[in-house]
Amino acid sequence: MKQLQIGIILGSTRQGRVSPQVANWVKGIADGRGDATYEIVDIAEFQLPFFGEGTGNEPGLVAWSKKLSSLDGFVFIVQEYNHSITGALKNALDSARTEWNNKAAGIVSYGSTGGARAAEHLRGILGELLVADVRAHPTFSIFADFENFQTFNPAELHVDKVNAMLDELIAWSGALKTLR
């Protein structure tokens, strides 16, 4: 049986973002497990138009649909902006529909309150897209897990939390694959 394909989705497109640091750290843990193929998916690279604008055949939309279709599950790297997810992530979620269906997702969040409010908003959106989000949820404090709010430096205890999330994600992604 082919290994599961898991996309680690960067939830921000802004200049100076720290989500690539978090994603690379998570991917390092994930790659060491050997239970799936993990890749970082940067929504900024797709240059998605605003949902509902354009023809729907823009190259970025076509590539986004193809990428999502190739994945069995997702890890969202979510930062909290104004108590929610970024507009770019919401647009990326809305820019596809059936490509999300019957897949699983884990959430890794960060912010002043660990990104918990953004993660809760994301859970509601994922439910509508028929994505089953797993319970285990690593959270990072912008005050404790980042140096000068810019350099990701998590405590060692977070490794167990990420592995717990990945355990659930792999189990659910495998089970949901039977529905597709």
Side-chain angles (χ1 to χ4, degrees):
M1 184 174 172
K2 184 180 169 190
Q3 271 199 323
L4 294 171
Q5 305 296 309
I6 306 296
I8 301 172
I9 299 178
L10 301 181
S12 175
T13 59
R14 73 172 176 82
Q15 294 292 337
R17 61 193 172 153
V18 296
S19 57
Q21 294 176 54
V22 178
N24 284 320
W25 183 81
V26 169
K27 186 176 185 305
I29 295 167
D31 286 345
R33 295 166 52 95
D35 56 1
T37 300
Y38 297 89
E39 69 176 289
I40 294 175
V41 179
D42 187 349
I43 60 177
E45 293 176 3
F46 293 88
Q47 299 179 349
L48 298 170
F50 285 115
F51 178 68
E53 294 183 0
T55 65
N57 294 316
E58 288 77 10
L61 282 174
V62 173
W64 182 238
S65 175
K66 185 176 178 181
K67 174 50 64 186
L68 295 177
S69 295
S70 74
L71 298 169
D72 298 305
F74 314 98
V75 173
F76 288 93
I77 307 298
V78 181
Q79 44 292 103
E80 185 170 310
Y81 290 1
N82 298 319
H83 293 207
S84 191
I85 63 173
T86 65
L89 178 56
K90 179 65 165 91
N91 188 60
L93 290 161
D94 290 344
S95 293
R97 186 68 184 177
T98 58
E99 298 89 341
W100 297 111
N101 295 172
N102 296 316
K103 296 180 182 180
I107 300 171
V108 175
S109 63
Y110 62 90
S112 62
T113 60
R117 297 170 293 207
E120 289 307 308
H121 281 187
L122 179 57
R123 288 181 194 283
I125 297 164
L126 293 176
E128 181 61 25
L129 294 171
L130 299 179
V131 176
D133 59 283
V134 301
R135 181 181 177 274
H137 171 201
T139 62
F140 298 96
S141 167
I142 198 76
F143 303 111
D145 296 304
F146 292 83
E147 296 172 7
N148 299 320
F149 307 105
Q150 296 177 358
T151 304
F152 187 54
N153 187 21
E156 187 66 28
L157 66 94
H158 292 298
V159 173
D160 289 341
K161 294 177 183 182
V162 169
N163 275 312
M165 181 267 301
L166 292 172
D167 287 345
E168 292 177 14
L169 175 63
I170 294 303
W172 287 34
S173 293
L176 288 168
K177 190 168 186 169
T178 64
L179 298 177
R180 296 190 310 276

